[in-house]
Amino acid sequence: MAKSIPGVPESLTRAQYASLLDSVGIDPEQTAELWFDREGIHADVIARDSHGKMIPDYKNNTYMKHRVFIPVLDEEEGK
């Protein structure tokens, strides 16, 4: 059992999860891994070729992935 933190939900609906990713332009169906830290949002998304097909990673018996990073930028005061 995880420790509960006031104001933090114990779970998300699939729609809430999809909405979160959609708000930053990441397709949840193509997301292999997602994590947040103080500097921004990190995601590993499945790589696709120019025809939209997933690119095999034969060495690891999976698919190639792109690592995406969306940084958090501090707002300038007064703007």
Side-chain angles (χ1 to χ4, degrees), residues 55-73:
I55 302 170
D57 177 355
Y58 297 109
K59 181 179 177 185
N60 296 307
N61 198 28
T62 185
Y63 294 100
M64 301 293 285
K65 297 172 189 75
H66 293 291
R67 179 152 292 170
V68 177
F69 175 62
I70 304 169
V72 172
L73 301 177

Side-chain angles (χ1 to χ4, degrees), residues 13-43:
T13 65
R14 180 79 47 198
Q16 288 171 316
Y17 175 73
S19 177
L20 173 68
L21 293 180
D22 188 50
S23 72
V24 293
I26 297 173
D27 180 353
E29 294 296 321
Q30 303 307 312
T31 304
E33 191 170 349
L34 176 73
W35 66 102
F36 298 79
D37 65 24
R38 293 175 55 120
E39 301 302 318
I41 301 170
H42 305 260

Side-chain angles (χ1 to χ4, degrees), residues 41-57:
I41 301 170
H42 305 260
D44 286 349
V45 295
I46 297 170
R48 295 189 173 264
D49 66 17
S50 60
H51 301 288
K53 294 181 125 190
M54 294 185 289
I55 302 170
D57 177 355

